[in-house]
Amino acid sequence: MMVPAGSQDGFPVLLPFRLRRGETHHRLGVAAGALLCIGLVLLVSTASAQGGRVAPSALQVIAKWAPLLLTGFAFNILISAFAMLLGTIAGLGVGLGLLSDLWPVRQTSWVLTQIFRNVPWLVLLFFVMFLVPFQLTVFNAHIPLPDWVKATVGFALPVMANVAEVVRGAVRSVPSTQWEAAEALAFTRRQSMWRIILPQCFKRMLPPWMNIYSLVTMSTVLASIVGVSELLTLTAQVHAAEGGRPELFAPLYGFALLCFFLYCYPINRWTAHLERRFQTR
């Protein structure tokens, strides 16, 4: 008697099921996260509506103040974008300084990187907010420095340190044969760096750079502590304007949570996609 494939002693055997390598369920994850946030808002708003209060429900309050809150969230994104721009430009210079052949440049870059990378972001924010003047005077011209500008600089400092480490690591990851080939072609060290090494580093630096941006975006809520009118500050003001009702606390801050989640989660998924696409061996 012939035994079917995958069987022993004439009895069928159930082979173990194995997921394909790299298979993920990120679509289910983002849907579950979004539904959790929305469900929280609906649950609290329903509970407040069932209390028989004349005051508007949580959903009505959120719909009323949503344009203002979304304006504050756009301000968070603006601060994070400018902080990343300043931090990336400065971090590129500091990162190349870490690779310099000149000892003073290399040591200065190392000190800057270690200081701003290992200090709490809130401490740096307070440092910049209260030690940087409110305005600069240049040739009898007064240039104001609003709080959001100083907060942007405060966030740009740790970004600079982290980007510097990303640049250093990316350059170090390039095989030494690339340097040797450039030297054989009579390229100087500067020409080798800018024409051969750094173009290869781009795909290595992009995923961690996007992770830093996502982290900065979520950290911009710290600016509310120093009086910047961003999403969290406006959320507290809306809560106070509605009489400080306890049942509005969770829906309003849940709305802020949902804004950040819907903005940062796609960045996280895109980063993971780029890591797989640009994977180097």
Side-chain angles (χ1 to χ4, degrees), residues 165-185:
E165 280 296 319
V166 170
V167 172
R168 183 195 63 80
V171 173
R172 292 295 189 191
S173 68
V174 176
S176 59
T177 54
Q178 297 294 315
W179 291 98
E180 296 170 359
E183 186 178 357
L185 294 174

CSV table of all heavy atoms in Angstrom, one decimal, residues 165-185:
chain,number,residue,atom,x,y,z
A,165,GLU,N,26.3,61.3,15.4
A,165,GLU,CA,26.6,59.9,15.6
A,165,GLU,C,26.2,59.1,14.4
A,165,GLU,O,26.8,58.1,14.0
A,165,GLU,CB,26.0,59.4,16.9
A,165,GLU,CG,26.7,59.8,18.1
A,165,GLU,CD,28.1,59.1,18.2
A,165,GLU,OE1,28.2,57.9,17.8
A,165,GLU,OE2,29.1,59.8,18.6
A,166,VAL,N,25.0,59.4,13.8
A,166,VAL,CA,24.5,58.7,12.6
A,166,VAL,C,25.5,58.9,11.5
A,166,VAL,O,25.9,57.9,10.8
A,166,VAL,CB,23.1,59.2,12.2
A,166,VAL,CG1,22.7,58.7,10.9
A,166,VAL,CG2,22.1,58.8,13.3
A,167,VAL,N,26.0,60.1,11.3
A,167,VAL,CA,27.0,60.3,10.2
A,167,VAL,C,28.3,59.6,10.5
A,167,VAL,O,28.8,58.9,9.5
A,167,VAL,CB,27.3,61.8,10.1
A,167,VAL,CG1,28.4,62.1,9.1
A,167,VAL,CG2,26.0,62.6,9.6
A,168,ARG,N,28.8,59.6,11.7
A,168,ARG,CA,30.0,58.9,12.0
A,168,ARG,C,29.9,57.4,11.8
A,168,ARG,O,30.7,56.7,11.1
A,168,ARG,CB,30.4,59.2,13.4
A,168,ARG,CG,31.7,58.5,13.8
A,168,ARG,CD,31.9,58.5,15.4
A,168,ARG,NE,30.8,57.7,16.0
A,168,ARG,CZ,30.9,56.4,16.1
A,168,ARG,NH1,31.9,55.7,15.5
A,168,ARG,NH2,29.9,55.7,16.6
A,169,GLY,N,28.7,56.8,12.2
A,169,GLY,CA,28.5,55.4,12.1
A,169,GLY,C,28.4,55.0,10.6
A,169,GLY,O,28.9,54.0,10.2
A,170,ALA,N,27.7,55.9,9.8
A,170,ALA,CA,27.5,55.5,8.4
A,170,ALA,C,28.8,55.6,7.7
A,170,ALA,O,29.1,54.7,6.8
A,170,ALA,CB,26.5,56.5,7.8
A,171,VAL,N,29.6,56.5,7.9
A,171,VAL,CA,30.9,56.6,7.2
A,171,VAL,C,31.8,55.5,7.6
A,171,VAL,O,32.5,54.9,6.8
A,171,VAL,CB,31.6,58.0,7.6
A,171,VAL,CG1,33.0,58.0,7.0
A,171,VAL,CG2,30.8,59.1,7.0
A,172,ARG,N,31.8,55.1,8.9
A,172,ARG,CA,32.6,54.0,9.4
A,172,ARG,C,32.1,52.6,8.8
A,172,ARG,O,32.9,51.7,8.6
A,172,ARG,CB,32.6,53.9,10.9
A,172,ARG,CG,33.2,55.0,11.6
A,172,ARG,CD,34.7,55.0,11.4
A,172,ARG,NE,35.4,56.0,12.3
A,172,ARG,CZ,36.7,56.3,12.2
A,172,ARG,NH1,37.4,55.8,11.2
A,172,ARG,NH2,37.2,57.2,13.0
A,173,SER,N,30.9,52.6,8.4
A,173,SER,CA,30.3,51.3,7.9
A,173,SER,C,30.7,51.1,6.4
A,173,SER,O,30.6,49.9,5.9
A,173,SER,CB,28.8,51.3,8.0
A,173,SER,OG,28.2,52.2,7.1
A,174,VAL,N,31.2,52.1,5.7
A,174,VAL,CA,31.6,51.9,4.3
A,174,VAL,C,32.9,51.1,4.3
A,174,VAL,O,33.9,51.4,5.1
A,174,VAL,CB,31.8,53.3,3.7
A,174,VAL,CG1,32.4,53.1,2.3
A,174,VAL,CG2,30.5,54.1,3.7
A,175,PRO,N,33.0,50.1,3.5
A,175,PRO,CA,34.2,49.3,3.5
A,175,PRO,C,35.4,50.1,3.2
A,175,PRO,O,35.4,51.1,2.4
A,175,PRO,CB,33.9,48.3,2.3
A,175,PRO,CG,32.4,48.2,2.2
A,175,PRO,CD,31.9,49.6,2.6
A,176,SER,N,36.5,49.7,3.8
A,176,SER,CA,37.8,50.4,3.6
A,176,SER,C,38.3,50.3,2.2
A,176,SER,O,39.1,51.2,1.7
A,176,SER,CB,38.9,49.9,4.6
A,176,SER,OG,39.1,48.5,4.3
A,177,THR,N,37.8,49.4,1.4
A,177,THR,CA,38.3,49.2,0.0
A,177,THR,C,37.8,50.4,-0.8
A,177,THR,O,38.4,50.8,-1.8
A,177,THR,CB,37.7,47.9,-0.6
A,177,THR,OG1,36.3,47.9,-0.4
A,177,THR,CG2,38.3,46.7,0.1
A,178,GLN,N,36.7,51.1,-0.4
A,178,GLN,CA,36.3,52.3,-1.1
A,178,GLN,C,37.3,53.4,-0.9
A,178,GLN,O,37.6,54.2,-1.9
A,178,GLN,CB,34.9,52.7,-0.6
A,178,GLN,CG,33.8,51.7,-0.8
A,178,GLN,CD,33.5,51.5,-2.2
A,178,GLN,OE1,33.4,52.5,-3.0
A,178,GLN,NE2,33.4,50.3,-2.7
A,179,TRP,N,37.8,53.6,0.3
A,179,TRP,CA,38.9,54.6,0.5
A,179,TRP,C,40.1,54.2,-0.3
A,179,TRP,O,40.7,55.1,-0.9
A,179,TRP,CB,39.2,54.6,2.0
A,179,TRP,CG,38.1,55.2,2.8
A,179,TRP,CD1,37.2,54.6,3.6
A,179,TRP,CD2,37.9,56.6,3.0
A,179,TRP,NE1,36.4,55.4,4.2
A,179,TRP,CE2,36.8,56.7,3.9
A,179,TRP,CE3,38.5,57.8,2.6
A,179,TRP,CZ2,36.3,57.9,4.3
A,179,TRP,CZ3,38.0,59.0,3.0
A,179,TRP,CH2,36.9,59.1,3.9
A,180,GLU,N,40.5,53.0,-0.3
A,180,GLU,CA,41.7,52.5,-1.1
A,180,GLU,C,41.5,52.8,-2.6
A,180,GLU,O,42.4,53.2,-3.2
A,180,GLU,CB,41.9,51.1,-0.8
A,180,GLU,CG,42.3,50.8,0.7
A,180,GLU,CD,42.3,49.3,1.0
A,180,GLU,OE1,42.1,48.5,0.1
A,180,GLU,OE2,42.6,49.0,2.2
A,181,ALA,N,40.3,52.5,-3.1
A,181,ALA,CA,40.1,52.7,-4.5
A,181,ALA,C,40.1,54.2,-4.8
A,181,ALA,O,40.7,54.6,-5.9
A,181,ALA,CB,38.7,52.1,-4.9
A,182,ALA,N,39.6,55.0,-4.0
A,182,ALA,CA,39.6,56.5,-4.2
A,182,ALA,C,41.0,57.0,-4.2
A,182,ALA,O,41.4,57.8,-5.0
A,182,ALA,CB,38.8,57.2,-3.2
A,183,GLU,N,41.8,56.4,-3.2
A,183,GLU,CA,43.2,56.8,-3.1
A,183,GLU,C,44.0,56.4,-4.4
A,183,GLU,O,44.9,57.1,-4.9
A,183,GLU,CB,43.8,56.3,-1.9
A,183,GLU,CG,45.3,56.7,-1.6
A,183,GLU,CD,45.8,56.1,-0.3
A,183,GLU,OE1,45.1,55.4,0.4
A,183,GLU,OE2,47.0,56.4,0.0
A,184,ALA,N,43.7,55.2,-4.9
A,184,ALA,CA,44.3,54.7,-6.1
A,184,ALA,C,44.0,55.6,-7.3
A,184,ALA,O,44.8,55.7,-8.3
A,184,ALA,CB,43.9,53.3,-6.4
A,185,LEU,N,42.9,56.3,-7.3
A,185,LEU,CA,42.5,57.2,-8.4
A,185,LEU,C,42.9,58.6,-8.1
A,185,LEU,O,42.5,59.5,-8.8
A,185,LEU,CB,40.9,57.1,-8.5
A,185,LEU,CG,40.4,55.8,-9.0
A,185,LEU,CD1,38.8,55.9,-9.0
A,185,LEU,CD2,40.9,55.5,-10.4
